[in-house]
Amino acid sequence: MRSIWNGAISFGLVSIPIKLVNATEHHSVSFRQIHTTDGGRIRYRKVCELDGDEVPPPEIGKGYEEADGAIIPITDDDLAALPLPTAKTIEIVGFVPAAEIDPLQMDAAYYLSASGVPAAKPYILLREALKRSDKVAIAKFALRGRERLGMLRVVGDVIAMHGLLWPDEVREPEGVAPETNVSVREAELDLADALMDTLGGVDLDSLHDDYREAVEELIAAKVEGGGRVPESEKAAAGAGGKVIDLMAALENSVRAAKESRGEREPEAEVRPIRGRKRQPAATGTDAKKSTSTTQKKSTAAKKTAAAKESTTAKKSTATKKSTAAKKTTRKRTSA
């Protein structure tokens, strides 16, 4: 890999010659601006706004624009005269636990390569010291004309450096958080936890840029025959809607996540209530028999009740006649 900066790490009185190498690269597809009518390239030209002439690179300098629009020229000699101790040195200023570094400060990443055989031993010494301390080194360095902040840590057998933003370059999140008063229920948190557990971890190496692949397929199709790549199902279904029922959305998300992992929801089991015996439902001929038997029992009960009423009435009539006869006999005897 090609180095972009040569210098040394200053570790107390120890100096470690190193080379700075970019640790990351971008794979996004880039486009050129063209004239839509004839396909010609659109290029930028640097023109002086006073005389309208195009200015060649050797005649282009630096200038600071004040609030009123006035330009103050700044030459390379002016900048070279400024004190910049870290111009060729990565100066370690201290060591802190990695957890103290706010990820918001993270910037570009670099690999530090030992420059030459004599640099190998002090390089390995610093690497092993960082490993054993379980800390990261905070350093200052200069790159592309300005002083920067960096964090050194161990990645495998290599010392890596992350450029850090200065603390005053991280903006406060004023007006970003929701200002409305919203209460989150425990049931909603439980479902969110269940969704997180169901989704589980992820293998970062398995992730890839779907959009970049689609763009590359589109370009390949146009090169081959001017065709057009059909829209993918995933892209067509990507439009999101407004979430109305949060609980329902969480439950559906958990269910969908389980199905995507091949997990199935357990089927509901119906259990009879203890102490009660469930009678099987009668169907077909059994139902007709049961209805006929019930009707017969009801008719017999009605007949029994009618017979009892008739017998009671007869007994009552006979009792009344006997009482009347006794009274008549008494009257005759007394006469």
Side-chain angles (χ1 to χ4, degrees):
M1 292 185 284
R2 185 175 64 87
S3 63
I4 61 172
W5 184 90
N6 295 330
I9 299 175
S10 176
F11 178 32
L13 297 178
V14 178
S15 180
I16 311 171
I18 57 98
K19 295 179 180 180
L20 198 66
V21 179
N22 282 321
T24 61
E25 58 185 358
H26 296 285
H27 291 162
S28 58
V29 179
S30 60
F31 298 100
R32 301 291 187 184
Q33 289 187 331
I34 62 172
H35 191 192
T36 56
T37 58
D38 57 18
R41 281 277 306 275
I42 302 297
R43 298 182 182 275
Y44 291 100
R45 294 179 179 177
K46 296 183 178 182
V47 178
C48 177
E49 64 179 16
L50 296 180
D51 56 23
D53 295 335
E54 185 176 353
V55 181
E59 297 181 15
I60 299 176
K62 299 181 180 69
Y64 176 79
E65 184 177 3
E66 293 190 304
D68 59 358
I71 300 295
I72 301 176
I74 303 294
T75 67
D76 292 339
D77 293 337
D78 293 333
L79 296 175
L82 296 176
L84 189 58
T86 57
K88 285 292 182 180
T89 304
I90 298 175
E91 181 184 352
I92 295 177
V93 296
F95 298 85
V96 299
E100 292 188 10
I101 304 300
D102 190 341
L104 287 174
Q105 288 185 253
M106 294 289 189
D107 203 357
Y110 309 93
Y111 290 135
L112 303 182
S113 171
S115 182
V117 176
K121 185 168 184 177
Y123 183 95
I124 295 175
L125 171 65
L126 176 59
R127 184 190 69 190
E128 296 304 311
L130 287 172
K131 282 184 179 180
R132 190 166 68 171
S133 67
D134 199 22
K135 293 182 179 180
V136 296
I138 303 300
K140 295 170 67 176
F141 68 104
L143 183 64
R144 298 187 180 95
R146 71 184 186 92
E147 191 169 56
R148 302 166 186 259
L149 192 63
M151 178 191 76
L152 278 64
R153 70 184 183 97
V154 178
V155 178
D157 293 332
V158 177
I159 298 175
M161 181 173 70
H162 295 268
L164 298 178
L165 299 175
W166 296 97
D168 59 357
E169 291 180 320
V170 179
R171 302 171 62 184
E172 293 293 332
E174 296 178 358
V176 178
E179 296 180 357
T180 55
N181 293 325
V182 177
S183 60
V184 179
R185 294 178 295 169
E186 288 294 328
E188 294 169 337
L189 284 174
D190 292 342
L191 276 175
D193 291 340
L195 178 57
M196 293 170 64
D197 292 339
T198 303
L199 292 175
V202 61
D203 181 10
L204 295 179
D205 292 333
S206 66
L207 301 179
H208 57 277
D209 189 345
D210 294 324
Y211 179 75
R212 176 169 61 88
E213 292 180 357
V215 171
E216 291 172 348
E217 291 177 5
L218 171 63
I219 295 173
K222 284 184 171 290
V223 169
E224 291 177 1
R228 186 174 181 179
V229 177
E231 184 179 7
S232 65
E233 297 180 359
K234 187 173 183 180
K242 183 179 179 181
V243 177
I244 299 176
D245 189 338
L246 182 58
M247 290 290 288
L250 288 170
E251 290 173 351
N252 292 336
S253 299
V254 173
R255 189 178 300 109
K258 287 184 177 180
E259 290 176 356
S260 66
R261 291 176 174 268
E263 300 178 13
R264 301 182 64 180
E265 292 286 343
E267 297 182 358
E269 181 181 355
V270 179
R271 295 182 179 180
I273 300 175
R274 293 181 179 179
R276 296 185 182 180
K277 295 183 178 180
R278 297 182 60 185
Q279 298 293 336
T283 58
T285 306
D286 292 339
K288 292 180 180 179
K289 289 181 179 180
S290 176
T291 303
S292 177
T293 303
T294 303
Q295 290 177 350
K296 289 179 180 180
K297 288 182 179 180
S298 176
T299 303
K302 289 179 180 179
K303 289 181 178 181
T304 302
K308 287 182 179 180
E309 289 179 359
S310 177
T311 303
T312 303
K314 289 180 180 180
K315 287 183 179 180
S316 176
T317 302
T319 302
K320 288 179 180 179
K321 288 181 178 181
S322 175
T323 304
K326 288 181 180 180
K327 288 182 178 180
T328 302
T329 304
R330 287 177 183 173
K331 286 181 179 180
R332 288 177 180 176
T333 305
S334 59

